[in-house]
């Protein structure tokens, strides 16, 4: 009987299994890597992990929600700055965490409301998200003067806020987290975000979001308020990008470059190279390309952006579906039928 | 019988073009209505107004007496209007079953939605397509999957825009039987060009021409009406006498 095919229950079980697997991998990495790496590498690995969270946020919004957002960097920057400002003003930096997630979520919700309820078409959505990011970039860049401060936090213009305190042990402001601990936290956040994405996509909400990507009109004709679902996934993506900004603020420091065009572009490249419509692909894409950019940066007389552009060109031509679908397809052909 | 859906002087203009011109029409509970008319007669525009995809330039749309003019498509759909569009509108990346389950998921919990979805696919004779991605199906199969998606949540009014286009003779006959069967519980409006099909299912036929209602009568009377032949075949008025009744 056809009804006996891959059942919903087993699909949910599989999503839960993959989510658990992601968490387990994060756990192992968090436990093992700090013992292996030296301090500089640990900080670098934390940056890569933060970028992977950022890539995951766009993978969700673009790959599954079908919303091409050129401004994911805006929420990343807002998360970083919200953390920095709150951490400088609050005695316990733990309380800055919800603020760093809430501020970009609200910004995403407000921007999303205008775009989705205003019936802005896809192309203009790209233009609007890009413009908002550039406005923020220029604004934060021009806050160098003494008058630009929020409480105890000077915004610092193009210098950013180098005095941002790191997270402390919750409830113990006197004990800031060591870089190793920040790394562990970042890896666990990545694992949690991955698990969250998996579970969201298996829920009714997530399936309607994917259905809207497939055919917006049909979803509306079945009685789903398309605008609300898009707003929902866009806001979740904004929150996740904010978390990435928080992690970044804890291993580097916040500066206007977080809002830059270069970042916005890179996030899109990570997702494209990793595979649109996948989660693991963009995570790996972000890490690989970050590592590549860092390595090329050490070579004399080569512009990293040139190499990054070249990589994108080759990737789009050679593996148009992206890393994850290509590798998965290759494995499926190699492995015996039932294992795939 | 009470009126389910009514339009009052519905008009839709695009710049200088009047696609739907002062159409007043009413559909009763459990009615089976056929809508015919040559290409460009305004049928699809009329439906897009009914389902909220277009905001009409003038006139009103009433659903069980409530004014629903200008509501969003999802708000109209939730009142109980289902539409099968002319070009199948489907979730290509999902399987047939996933799509039909989503159609039911607003009203039912997962397990129940799944059970009902499988039953609908079974009833339409496409149970074997349940786990196939819709984007890979043949045109006739896609028509049936869309029909299943529309029928599954049991809307009070089902609008079918050319449901048999691209279907085999066998599939067409099956669809005619299915429409008569569905009509026991739902009001149905069907747009078709296939006269054989209309004879097989229809009681009352409305003819659209140039955005207006040309004739509204029983199937036999409409199919014998020389004016209907004229608009379909484009005969000059003086040749009317030659049209066989």
């Amino acid at each position: 009987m056809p009804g006996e095919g891959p059942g919903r229950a087993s699909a949910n079980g599989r999503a839960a299994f993959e989510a658990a697997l992601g968490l387990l991998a994060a756990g192992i990495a968090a436990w093992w890597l700090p013992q292996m790496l030296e301090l500089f590498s640990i900080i670098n690995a934390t940056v890569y992990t933060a970028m992977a969270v950022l890539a995951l946020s766009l993978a969700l919004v673009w790959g599954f929600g079908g919303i091409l957002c050129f401004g994911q960097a805006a929420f990343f920057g807002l998360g970083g700055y919200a953390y920095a400002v709150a951490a400088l003003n609050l005695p316990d930096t733990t309380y800055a965490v919800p603020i760093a997630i809430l501020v970009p979520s609200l910004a995403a919700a407000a921007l999303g409301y205008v775009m989705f309820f205003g019936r802005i078409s896809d192309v203009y959505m790209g233009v609007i998200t890009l413009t908002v990011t550039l406005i923020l970039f220029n604004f934060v860049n021009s806050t160098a003067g003494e008058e630009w401060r929020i409480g105890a936090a000077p915004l610092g213009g193009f210098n950013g806020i180098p005095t941002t305190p790191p997270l402390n042990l919750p409830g113990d402001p006197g004990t800031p987290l060591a870089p190793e601990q920040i790394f562990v936290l970042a890896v666990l956040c990545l694992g949690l975000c991955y698990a969250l994405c998996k579970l969201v996509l298996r829920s009714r909400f997530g399936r309607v979001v994917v259905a809207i990507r497939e055919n917006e009109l049909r979803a509306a004709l079945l009685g789903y308020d398309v605008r609300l679902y898009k707003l929902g996934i866009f806001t979740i993506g904004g929150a996740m990008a904010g978390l990435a900004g928080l992690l970044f603020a804890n291993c580097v420091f916040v500066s206007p470059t977080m809002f830059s065009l270069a970042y916005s572009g890179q996030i899109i490249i990570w997702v494209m190279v990793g595979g649109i419509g996948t989660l693991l692909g963009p995570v790996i894409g972000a890490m690989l390309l970050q590592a590549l950019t860092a390595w090329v940066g050490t070579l004399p007389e080569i512009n990293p952006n040139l190499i990054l552009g070249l990589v994108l060109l080759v990737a789009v031509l050679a593996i148009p579906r992206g890393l994850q679908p290509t590798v998965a397809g290759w494995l499926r052909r190699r492995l015996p039928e039932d294992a795939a | 019988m009470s009126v389910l859906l009514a339009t009052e002087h519905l008009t839709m203009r695009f710049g200088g073009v009047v696609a739907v011109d002062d159409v007043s029409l009413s559909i009763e509970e459990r009615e089976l209505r056929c809508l015919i008319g040559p290409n460009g007669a305004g049928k699809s525009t009329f439906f897009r107004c009914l389902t909220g995809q277009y905001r009409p330039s003038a006139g009103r749309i009433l659903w069980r007496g409530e004014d629903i003019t200008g509501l969003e498509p999802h708000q109209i759909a939730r009142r109980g209007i289902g539409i099968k569009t002319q070009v199948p509108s489907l979730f290509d990346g999902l399987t047939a079953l996933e799509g039909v389950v989503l159609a039911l998921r607003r009203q039912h919990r997962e397990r129940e939605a799944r059970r009902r979805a499988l039953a609908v696919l079974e009833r339409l004779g496409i149970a074997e397509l349940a786990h196939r991605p819709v984007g890979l199906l043949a045109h006739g199969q896609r028509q049936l999957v869309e029909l299943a998606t529309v029928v599954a949540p049991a809307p009070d009014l089902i609008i079918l825009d050319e449901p048999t286009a691209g279907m085999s003779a066998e599939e067409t006959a099956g669809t005619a039987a299915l429409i008569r069967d569905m009509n026991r519980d739902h009001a149905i409006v069907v747009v078709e060009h296939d006269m054989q099909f209309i004879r097989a299912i229809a009681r009352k036929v409305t003819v659209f021409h140039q955005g207006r209602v040309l004739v509204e009568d029983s199937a036999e009377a409409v199919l014998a009406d020389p004016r209907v032949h004229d608009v379909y075949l484009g005969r000059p008025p003086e040749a009317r006498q030659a049209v066989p009744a």
Side-chain angles (χ1 to χ4, degrees):
Chain A
M1 190 185 149
E4 304 290 316
R8 174 98 267 137
S10 73
N12 273 338
R14 202 181 140 197
F17 174 71
E18 284 175 359
L21 209 63
L23 277 175
L24 185 69
I28 291 173
W31 172 76
W32 184 64
L33 281 173
Q35 304 178 9
M36 300 295 296
L37 302 174
E38 41 189 303
L39 184 62
F40 175 72
S41 307
I42 284 179
I43 293 175
N44 256 344
T46 315
V47 175
Y48 295 177
T49 312
M51 295 308 166
V53 173
L54 186 55
L56 210 49
S57 76
L58 188 69
L60 195 65
V61 168
W62 183 25
F64 292 91
I67 305 159
L68 177 49
C69 176
F70 280 100
Q72 208 62 13
F75 308 125
F76 174 65
L78 278 176
Y81 269 84
Y83 170 78
V85 169
L88 280 167
N89 281 298
L90 295 169
D92 186 336
T93 53
T94 313
Y95 298 125
V97 175
I99 296 173
I101 295 171
L102 208 62
V103 169
S105 310
L106 290 177
L111 185 63
Y113 180 81
V114 173
M115 294 195 303
F116 304 133
F117 283 76
R119 298 172 187 284
I120 305 280
S121 72
D122 289 351
V123 179
Y124 288 104
M125 233 178 255
V127 174
I128 288 175
T129 50
L130 187 65
T131 312
V132 166
T133 313
L134 289 178
I135 289 172
L136 281 170
F137 174 69
N138 279 319
F139 167 69
V140 178
N141 233 340
S142 61
T143 56
E146 250 312 295
E147 69 277 18
W148 291 104
R149 53 166 56 238
I150 302 173
L155 290 182
F158 54 82
N159 288 321
I161 313 178
T163 53
T164 307
L167 284 164
N168 52 247
L169 276 179
D172 184 4
T175 317
L177 295 183
E180 289 85 356
Q181 290 167 314
I182 302 272
F183 171 70
V184 171
L185 183 72
V187 172
L188 292 181
C189 283
L190 177 60
L192 272 176
C193 283
Y194 178 77
L196 180 79
C197 286
K198 277 279 169 202
L199 297 180
V200 162
L201 289 171
R202 285 322 300 187
S203 69
R204 187 190 88 141
F205 167 78
R207 278 153 53 215
V208 173
V209 165
V210 171
I212 290 170
R213 175 195 70 187
E214 292 294 319
N215 191 333
E216 200 168 321
L217 175 64
R218 178 41 78 200
L221 293 178
L222 290 178
Y224 293 106
D225 189 347
V226 169
R227 306 166 301 180
L228 220 50
Y229 283 87
K230 283 185 158 183
L231 184 62
I233 202 75
F234 193 66
T235 307
I236 294 175
M240 217 173 264
L243 178 67
L246 176 152
L247 294 171
F248 186 81
N250 268 279
C251 53
V252 190
F253 64 87
V254 300
S255 68
T257 47
M258 291 178 84
F259 295 99
S260 68
L261 201 54
Y263 261 125
S264 278
Q266 274 186 48
I267 309 167
I268 290 175
I269 294 174
W270 298 335
V271 176
M272 270 175 85
V273 170
I276 297 164
T278 65
L279 292 174
L280 202 57
V283 167
I284 293 169
M287 292 192 167
L288 278 182
L289 289 177
Q290 281 282 301
L292 181 75
T293 317
W295 175 69
V296 174
T298 64
L299 302 177
E301 289 163 32
I302 293 181
N303 185 340
N305 283 332
L306 197 73
I307 301 293
L308 203 60
L310 213 61
V311 167
L312 176 68
L313 211 64
V314 171
V316 168
L317 291 174
I319 45 166
R321 290 184 306 151
L323 273 176
Q324 190 182 337
T326 307
V327 172
W330 183 80
L331 282 178
R332 212 168 293 137
R333 284 194 299 276
R334 290 292 137 117
L335 294 174
E337 273 288 306
D338 51 46
Chain B
M1 263 198 260
S2 62
V3 173
L4 193 61
L5 179 87
T7 64
E8 291 176 351
H9 309 291
L10 198 71
T11 302
M12 183 75 212
R13 291 186 207 93
F14 299 98
V17 180
V18 186
V20 176
D21 189 4
D22 194 31
V23 172
S24 298
L25 189 136
S26 67
I27 310 288
E28 292 182 342
E29 209 107 35
R30 302 219 185 128
E31 185 177 343
L32 175 53
R33 175 78 62 95
C34 271
L35 223 93
I36 64 173
N39 286 330
K43 305 178 302 274
S44 291
T45 308
F46 178 67
F47 284 153
R48 284 190 183 152
C49 291
L50 290 189
T51 54
Q53 296 172 67
Y54 288 155
R55 201 170 285 245
S57 314
R60 296 203 304 163
I61 304 164
L62 301 172
W63 174 256
R64 295 184 193 281
E66 177 202 4
D67 190 346
I68 58 165
T69 322
L71 290 188
E72 293 290 329
H74 72 270
Q75 292 170 317
I76 292 176
R78 283 181 191 180
R79 279 168 172 71
I81 300 180
I83 180 165
K84 195 202 121 3
T85 51
Q86 195 173 356
V87 178
S89 175
L90 289 160
F91 304 123
D92 278 351
L94 308 188
T95 66
L97 180 62
E98 283 170 336
V100 181
V101 167
L102 275 182
L104 286 155
R105 208 45 188 79
R106 256 182 352 91
Q107 298 139 310
H108 302 284
R109 301 199 66 81
E110 186 66 33
R111 186 182 292 267
E112 178 64 12
R114 210 179 146 76
R115 194 186 65 72
R116 283 171 185 254
L118 281 167
V120 170
L121 292 175
E122 193 90 39
R123 185 164 148 217
L124 267 74
I126 47 171
E128 76 279 5
L129 304 179
H131 300 291
R132 299 260 301 275
V134 175
L136 301 178
L137 298 179
H139 183 73
Q141 295 173 324
R142 288 168 63 79
Q143 293 273 43
L144 287 171
V145 172
E146 195 188 21
L147 204 56
T149 313
V150 173
V151 172
D156 294 326
L157 172 66
I158 301 172
I159 298 170
L160 305 171
D161 201 348
E162 302 200 22
T164 68
M167 279 189 184
S168 66
E170 198 184 332
E171 285 168 332
T172 304
T175 307
L178 182 78
I179 288 174
R180 278 197 305 266
D181 180 41
M182 288 189 315
N183 185 224
R184 272 184 275 171
D185 304 313
H186 318 277
I188 300 176
V189 178
V190 190
V191 174
E192 257 306 337
H193 286 301
D194 185 336
M195 297 300 167
Q196 209 116 39
F197 183 78
I198 289 168
R199 276 201 188 88
I201 62 163
R203 275 143 228 172
K204 196 168 172 186
V205 176
T206 303
V207 185
F208 259 61
H209 181 50
Q210 292 179 344
R212 289 172 164 269
V213 173
L214 182 74
V215 195
E216 191 169 285
D217 210 332
S218 71
E220 292 76 30
V222 164
L223 295 180
D225 192 316
R227 286 176 300 169
V228 177
H229 285 249
D230 289 349
V231 301
Y232 259 99
L233 302 173
R235 280 167 196 270
E238 62 272 18
R240 266 186 198 165
Q241 302 309 317
V243 174

